[in-house]
């Protein structure tokens, strides 16, 4: 869920800083006035609200879709995905059963990985495999780490009974501190553009 | 996503983790005495087993090639470290390789400098052994294409480089052979040989002799058209390339080809022993050991498995895979070929080491090549003609019932033939073999081979697979398991003359490191859980051990330092096929992951983490 901001925010901020925009901007951009304290607060920093990502309309049909997941399972083998990713556990390619998503877990992000490939060995399938099949594959891949799919595992070959993917997994629930954390994630560092407003000082999360 | 994460945390980890599969029962394995065969009874009185001086010149204390010498004995004649004093061995210095993938290379020592090449991204380090702590002289980063990681079947390993004529010569994962100037670390030439878009990578250690560099490709799991090639050592120019499959003209089979066995005689068998066109994607990489014989001026090339693993998609003998070529080093022209596993059904590559010795057999000294194959047999081969003199199992075997020495072919056990859609259980040895690439050593003092190996079996179900260039071409769902006794590894001291073990030590994990044996009668090897060990070469008794930062799957060496003292060097850094569950990372919950290896290695993450460090040991002095 962080994946959009690391690409967009730093570029946006960088442009703003380089071009000398500051206090007069129509958006509350940070300035470089010497008296200002603190650091630039981007969405990568916990406690700054969450993104407004909505579900890609192309993906909508693939949520709660048992047929798509099972088609994806068949294609996963037919297109040799299993050659690298095994039954989800990985090998030549990364593990798809864990909760680590190098290039994002959202359905359209997985789809994008399939279309464009990735630089460390993932081939690009866009234009070679029909797009609806790439969506079927994406939804199967997303299913492999669902607790329902993992719970259905009965032996040492997982991912044989993939659960449909509920849309909730891609709906941004915002950031919350990890359970039992002792850090005070609720405070917000004072922003650099003028005196802090009460909202900024207390944070929203 | 948070919802999913919270729900996942409610599933107890114990439910998800794989338990260790039960060992294969002893009674499912054939007895060595029943399936081992030889053309004649042992005649030890006929002479002393040793390499020729042409292939193993007097030891100068350096270690310039991974195999130590052309004979590939990995025997160090240094005597300072002995059975009596090795218990005092201490680390002298260490050096972080900054790469946490499987480190399979041998440290190379020449002119008081040590050279190490890492796993991908294949960084080369040169360390000055004349100064305290062996500071870095230079490093060289070849920057192989990152996408090459996606065509490396079994971790992004590299089996080392070699020093010759002022060059350190090594391969990169993305298919280059590179020679760097040992003085400066600058590349003198780099030759692109492999094409990752066709699934080709390079992981083997080059062999250098007579001004030529011999290299081969990896990719037996990617449907490559495997090859071995010779380059001009001074320019990197390609001199010849011999393919493992296809018409005789591509395989470099001509008038000189005189194989011993009938099954290898005939025109274009590299085409006719395959379904139409299948040889073009039939695998047969030369990713292991290529050995130069200075005495007979011959090159021995181990050839890997045929592809895909699903044997029903490739009826026929699948020449010239899973065997060994003897070739003319200057032209590549084949002299003979012997196929260890015709129509291989179990991924038994023929790439393991070739050890060149003079050995008594049938009452006289013979020029032999000893090869310890994945299929579970120690082969003693008369190396002028390619005649198998003896073949005996050194680990658990039930996939075959011995080697027929009249035809040279294994006697297949129909119960263990692999099938489409049907799980065949308890096949021994496993796909990675009774032993994989990691080389044995031989001591002329004890007459024994020190074989670092596995004790593992497998369940196998073949599946339909389509060829898609640059992706895996496997077609098998494999689950590995321990062999009889449950210990997954073993160090066997094998007497090639008497055709039986002198002693054997067990290990919990498969041994994936090579061995080195010294004139002090000490054998060194490493374990996947991170112990570097010294044992008595005559008894197997554990004499010393040291725990390093990560599991060991590399090739230890012994050399004389600038101060005249004996040193032992080894790389830590677990990984490789067997260690992918740590270095991958690969999920321990998927037994079929890493080509079925995870099923038998799911506990490794409890013992070790990824790493990559050079360690050098010596006695206090």
């Amino acid at each position: 869920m962080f994946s959009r901001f690391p690409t967009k925010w730093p570029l946006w901020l960088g442009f703003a800083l380089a071009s000398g925009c500051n206090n007069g901007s129509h958006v509350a951009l940070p300035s470089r006035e010497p008296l200002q304290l603190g650091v630039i607060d981007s969405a990568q920093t916990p406690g700054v609200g969450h993104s407004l990502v909505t579900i890609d309309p192309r993906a909508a049909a693939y949520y709660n879709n048992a047929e798509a997941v099972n088609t994806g399972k068949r294609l996963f083998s037919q297109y040799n995905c299993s050659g690298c990713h095994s039954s989800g556990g990985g090998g030549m390619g990364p593990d798809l059963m864990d909760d680590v998503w190098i290039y994002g877990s959202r359905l359209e992000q997985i789809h994008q990985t399939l279309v464009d490939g990735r630089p460390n060995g993932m081939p690009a399938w866009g234009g070679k495999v029909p797009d609806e099949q790439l969506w079927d594959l994406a939804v199967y891949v997303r299913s492999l780490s669902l607790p329902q799919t993992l719970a259905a595992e009965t032996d040492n070959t997982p991912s044989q009974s993939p659960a449909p993917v509920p849309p909730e997994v891609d709906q941004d629930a915002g950031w919350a501190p990890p359970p039992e954390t002792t850090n005070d994630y609720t405070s917000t560092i004072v922003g650099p553009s003028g005196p802090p407003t009460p909202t900024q000082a207390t944070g929203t999360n | 996503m948070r919802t999913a994460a919270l729900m996942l945390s409610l599933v107890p980890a114990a439910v998800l983790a794989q338990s260790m599969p039960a060992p294969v029962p002893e009674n499912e394995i054939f007895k060595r005495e029943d399936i081992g065969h030889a053309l004649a009874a042992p005649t030890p009185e006929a002479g002393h087993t040793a390499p020729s001086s042409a292939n193993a010149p007097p030891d100068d204390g350096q270690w310039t090639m991974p195999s130590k010498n052309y004979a590939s004995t990995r025997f160090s004649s240094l005597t300072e470290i002995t059975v009596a004093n090795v218990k005092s061995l201490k680390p002298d210095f260490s050096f972080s390789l900054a790469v946490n993938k499987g480190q399979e290379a041998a440290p190379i020592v020449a002119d008081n400098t040590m050279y190490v090449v890492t796993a991908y991204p294949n960084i080369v380090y040169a360390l000055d052994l004349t100064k305290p702590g062996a500071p870095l002289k230079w490093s060289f980063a070849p920057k192989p294409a990152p996408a090459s990681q996606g065509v490396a079947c079994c971790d992004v390993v590299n089996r080392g480089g070699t020093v010759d004529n002022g060059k350190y010569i090594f391969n990169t994962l993305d298919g280059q052979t590179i020679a760097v100037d040992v003085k400066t670390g600058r590349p003198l030439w780099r030759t692109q040989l492999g094409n990752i878009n066709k699934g080709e990578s390079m992981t083997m250690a080059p062999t250098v002799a007579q001004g030529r560099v011999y290299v081969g490709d990896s990719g037996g799991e990617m449907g490559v058209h495997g090859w071995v090639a010779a380059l001009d050592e001074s320019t990197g120019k390609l001199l010849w390339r011999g393919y493992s499959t296809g018409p005789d003209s591509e395989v470099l089979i001509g008038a000189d080809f005189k194989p011993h066995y009938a099954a290898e005689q005939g025109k274009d068998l590299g085409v006719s022993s395959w379904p139409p066109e299948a040889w073009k994607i039939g695998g047969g990489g030369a990713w292991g050991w290529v050995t130069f014989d200075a005495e007979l001026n011959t090159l021995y090339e181990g050839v890997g498995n045929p592809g895909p693993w699903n044997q029903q998609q490739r009826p026929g003998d699948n020449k010239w895979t899973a065997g060994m070529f003897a070739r003319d080093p200057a032209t590549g022209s084949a002299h003979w070929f012997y196929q260890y596993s015709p129509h291989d059904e179990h991924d038994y590559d023929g790439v393991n080491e070739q050890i060149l010795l003079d050995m008594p057999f049938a009452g006289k000294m013979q020029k032999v090549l000893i090869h310890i194959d994945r299929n579970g047999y120690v082969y003693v081969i008369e190396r002028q003609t390619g005649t198998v003199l003896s073949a005996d199992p050194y680990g658990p075997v039930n996939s075959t019932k011995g080697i027929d020495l009249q035809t040279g072919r294994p006697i297949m056990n129909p119960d263990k033939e692999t099938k489409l859609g049907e799980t065949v259980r308890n096949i021994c040895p496993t796909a990675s073999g009774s032993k994989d690439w990691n080389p044995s050593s031989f001591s002329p003092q004890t007459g024994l081979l020190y074989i670092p190996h596995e004790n593992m079996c497998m369940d196998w179900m073949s599946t339909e697979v389509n060829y898609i260039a640059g992706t895996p071409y496997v077609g098998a769902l494999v689950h590995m398991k321990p062999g009889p006794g449950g210990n997954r590894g073993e160090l066997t001291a094998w007497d090639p003359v008497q055709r039986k073990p002198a002693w054997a030590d067990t290990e919990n994990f498969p041994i994936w490191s090579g061995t080195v044996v010294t004139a002090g009668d000490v054998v060194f090897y490493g374990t996947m859980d991170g112990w570097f060990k010294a044992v008595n070469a005559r008894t197997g008794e554990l004499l010393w051990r040291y725990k390093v930062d990560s599991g060991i799957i590399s090739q230890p060496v012994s050399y004389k330092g600038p101060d005249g003292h004996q040193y032992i060097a080894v790389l830590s850094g677990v990984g490789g096929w067997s260690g992918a569950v740590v270095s991958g990372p690969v999920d321990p919950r998927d037994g079929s992951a890493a080509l079925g290896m995870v099923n038998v290695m799911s506990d490794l993450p409890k013992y070790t983490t990824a790493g990559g460090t050079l360690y050098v040991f010596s006695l206090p002095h």
Side-chain angles (χ1 to χ4, degrees):
Chain A
M1 65 189 191
F2 298 132
S3 60
R4 298 227 153 174
F5 282 78
T7 52
K8 287 191 174 173
W9 275 65
L11 281 175
W12 182 72
L13 288 172
F15 173 77
L17 292 166
S19 58
C21 301
N22 47 35
N23 296 344
S25 173
H26 61 283
V27 283
L29 285 177
S31 83
R32 305 177 76 180
E33 295 292 322
L35 290 176
Q36 291 172 343
L37 304 171
V39 296
I40 297 165
D41 213 0
S42 80
Q44 284 174 288
T45 311
V48 192
H50 56 82
S51 63
L52 298 174
V53 175
T54 53
I55 284 176
D56 187 319
R58 295 174 302 163
Y62 294 88
Y63 295 104
N64 286 333
N65 186 334
E67 190 188 343
V69 172
N70 283 308
T71 303
K73 173 175 176 285
R74 180 169 54 78
L75 297 171
F76 192 80
S77 169
Q78 282 179 1
Y79 289 126
N80 289 349
C81 311
S82 54
C84 286
H85 301 283
S86 305
S87 306
M92 302 183 214
D95 187 350
L96 303 175
M97 297 163 60
D98 63 10
D99 57 0
V100 177
W101 293 95
I102 302 170
Y103 303 109
S105 69
R106 300 172 54 77
L107 221 48
E108 74 265 23
Q109 290 170 322
I110 301 171
H111 177 262
Q112 200 67 34
T113 293
L114 294 170
V115 170
D116 290 339
R118 298 294 182 184
N120 290 313
M122 175 70 192
W125 299 99
K128 296 171 183 160
V129 170
D131 195 57
E132 63 271 20
Q133 292 191 344
L134 294 179
W135 283 105
D136 290 334
L137 282 163
V139 79
Y140 175 65
V141 167
R142 185 62 189 86
S143 172
L144 300 184
S145 55
L146 291 180
Q148 299 90 326
T149 300
L150 293 170
E153 180 186 337
T154 53
D155 60 10
N156 49 17
T157 307
S159 313
Q160 300 308 297
S161 305
V165 175
E168 292 76 32
V169 300
D170 280 357
Q171 279 164 358
D172 189 355
W175 188 89
E180 298 170 40
T181 184
T182 54
N183 289 347
D184 179 12
Y185 283 100
T186 57
S187 67
T188 297
I189 297 163
V190 175
S193 52
T197 66
T199 315
Q200 283 173 314
T202 56
T204 54
N205 283 22
Chain B
M1 184 159 170
R2 181 175 59 165
T3 314
L6 286 173
M7 286 167 75
L8 181 59
S9 68
L10 297 175
V11 182
V15 173
L16 299 170
Q18 290 301 324
S19 54
M20 188 53 55
V24 169
E26 186 79 45
N27 62 11
E28 292 207 30
I29 305 303
F30 298 131
K31 289 191 167 55
R32 177 168 50 80
E33 298 77 8
D34 294 340
I35 63 170
H37 299 298
L39 290 177
T43 52
E45 67 282 358
H48 176 70
T49 308
S52 71
S53 58
N55 284 325
D59 193 348
D60 61 3
Q62 304 195 98
W63 198 285
T64 61
M65 62 181 89
S67 59
K68 171 62 180 174
N69 47 41
Y70 291 140
S72 300
T73 58
R74 296 170 186 267
F75 172 77
S76 165
S77 64
L78 301 177
T79 54
E80 184 182 3
I81 298 168
T82 66
V83 167
N85 65 23
V86 67
K87 63 178 181 294
S88 305
L89 210 59
K90 294 281 187 300
D92 218 80
F93 65 88
S94 61
F95 180 83
S96 169
L97 303 177
V99 175
N100 286 354
K101 291 289 183 177
Q103 308 291 350
E104 292 190 347
I108 293 299
V109 177
D111 297 326
N112 295 325
T113 306
M114 180 179 287
Y115 304 90
V116 175
V117 60
T118 71
Y120 172 90
N122 307 129
I123 302 164
V124 181
Y125 299 108
L127 305 175
D128 185 350
L129 297 177
T130 65
K131 297 191 177 131
L136 190 63
K137 280 171 95 169
W138 52 258
S139 66
F140 171 64
K143 300 190 176 70
S148 61
Q149 297 170 89
V151 294
C153 80
C154 315
D155 199 6
V156 292
V157 299
N158 186 294
R159 302 190 181 85
T162 190
V163 165
D164 192 67
N165 270 331
K167 302 178 186 70
Y168 179 80
I169 303 171
F170 68 105
N171 295 318
T172 60
L173 191 65
D174 67 347
Q176 303 175 60
T177 303
I178 300 179
V180 297
D181 185 330
V182 294
K183 297 245 176 332
T184 64
R186 290 202 190 96
L188 297 166
W189 51 260
R190 44 201 302 172
T191 302
Q192 184 77 46
L193 291 163
N195 178 355
I196 60 171
N197 292 321
K198 294 197 296 184
E200 293 174 322
S201 57
M202 287 173 78
T203 58
M204 58 91 78
T207 296
V208 182
Q210 297 176 321
R212 286 183 289 265
V213 180
Y214 305 101
V215 295
D217 66 340
S218 305
E221 283 61 53
M222 310 294 290
V224 300
H225 184 202
W227 46 262
V228 65
L231 310 179
D232 185 311
E233 187 188 356
S234 55
T235 63
K237 183 171 166 282
L238 180 67
L239 300 173
W240 54 260
R241 184 178 337 224
Y243 287 91
S244 305
T245 64
D248 289 352
S249 57
E250 290 192 29
V251 182
L252 305 184
I253 286 176
D256 298 337
F257 189 57
K258 302 207 166 38
H260 182 77
Y261 298 100
E264 272 87 46
Q265 296 162 4
K267 185 166 168 46
D268 292 329
L269 296 180
V271 173
S272 62
S273 64
W274 294 86
E277 309 289 304
W279 58 269
K280 292 178 178 172
I281 51 172
W287 59 270
W289 299 105
V290 175
T291 301
F292 173 73
D293 184 342
E295 196 180 355
L296 301 181
N297 190 35
T298 300
L299 198 68
Y300 306 102
E301 173 211 354
V303 184
N305 63 286
W309 285 15
N310 177 355
Q311 54 100 357
Q312 282 157 287
Q313 289 184 225
R314 49 175 171 79
D317 264 3
N318 309 137
K319 305 286 185 207
W320 309 87
T321 63
M324 176 174 52
F325 274 112
R327 293 182 183 272
D328 182 321
T331 64
S333 173
H335 292 165
W336 53 261
F337 178 85
Y338 173 68
Q339 197 165 26
Y340 303 114
S341 297
H343 184 68
D344 165 51
E345 297 191 9
H346 306 102
D347 188 36
Y348 298 154
D349 297 68
V351 302
N352 289 358
E353 69 276 20
Q354 302 95 6
I355 300 174
L356 311 182
L357 300 173
D358 294 341
M359 194 188 101
F361 189 85
K364 60 175 183 180
M365 292 302 285
Q366 308 225 22
K367 296 196 181 310
V368 305
L369 178 155
I370 297 181
H371 170 81
I372 302 143
D373 199 70
R374 291 255 285 252
N375 70 8
Y377 293 88
V378 178
Y379 289 82
V380 178
I381 297 172
E382 199 291 311
R383 67 182 197 262
Q384 295 176 96
T385 60
T387 308
V388 178
L389 302 179
S390 66
D392 296 279
Y394 62 98
V397 172
N398 64 20
S399 55
T400 55
K401 302 175 174 181
I403 308 300
D404 179 338
L405 296 187
Q406 296 312 307
T407 64
R409 295 172 78 87
I411 305 155
M412 300 306 292
N413 178 0
D415 297 342
K416 302 300 179 186
E417 292 190 13
T418 57
K419 296 184 178 69
L420 179 65
E422 182 184 327
T423 301
V424 180
R425 297 190 190 281
N426 294 356
I427 303 170
C428 308
T430 188
S432 53
S434 283
K435 188 180 84 63
D436 206 295
W437 68 276
N438 46 314
S440 313
S441 54
F442 172 80
S443 167
Q445 295 186 179
T446 63
L448 299 175
L449 294 153
Y450 299 96
I451 308 176
H453 66 104
E454 306 168 35
N455 174 42
M456 304 205 299
C457 304
M458 63 179 166
D459 298 344
W460 177 306
M461 182 178 80
S462 291
T463 57
E464 287 273 5
V465 62
N466 304 313
Y467 175 75
I468 302 172
T471 74
Y473 188 49
V474 176
L477 195 63
V478 176
H479 289 90
M480 299 193 189
K481 52 178 64 176
N487 58 294
R488 286 162 282 182
E490 203 161 70
L491 175 67
T492 295
W494 181 268
D495 183 335
V497 177
Q498 298 289 355
R499 302 170 38 223
K500 61 183 183 187
W503 52 260
D505 289 344
T506 60
E507 283 289 347
N508 182 19
F509 290 104
I511 307 181
W512 215 265
S513 86
T515 62
V516 60
V517 59
T518 72
D521 277 348
V522 181
V523 180
F524 292 93
Y525 71 102
T527 69
M528 292 191 66
D529 52 346
W531 288 104
F532 189 48
K533 293 187 175 181
V535 301
N536 185 323
R538 294 182 187 273
T539 64
E541 181 198 356
L542 179 66
L543 303 170
W544 170 88
R545 62 178 190 166
Y546 183 84
K547 188 73 156 65
V548 298
D549 64 341
S550 173
I552 297 172
I553 59 162
S554 66
Q555 305 164 56
V557 304
S558 162
Y559 67 93
K560 184 155 72 176
D563 57 4
H565 288 289
Q566 183 181 2
Y567 291 83
I568 308 293
V570 69
L571 307 183
S572 71
V574 82
W577 187 0
S578 56
V581 68
V582 170
S583 69
V586 170
D587 205 302
R589 294 171 292 186
D590 181 358
S592 69
L595 300 165
M597 185 62 85
V598 165
N599 204 51
V600 73
M601 299 298 293
S602 60
D603 59 339
L604 188 64
K606 296 176 193 163
Y607 290 80
T608 187
T609 54
T613 304
L614 162 73
Y615 288 86
V616 175
F617 302 89
S618 66
L619 293 171
H621 57 259

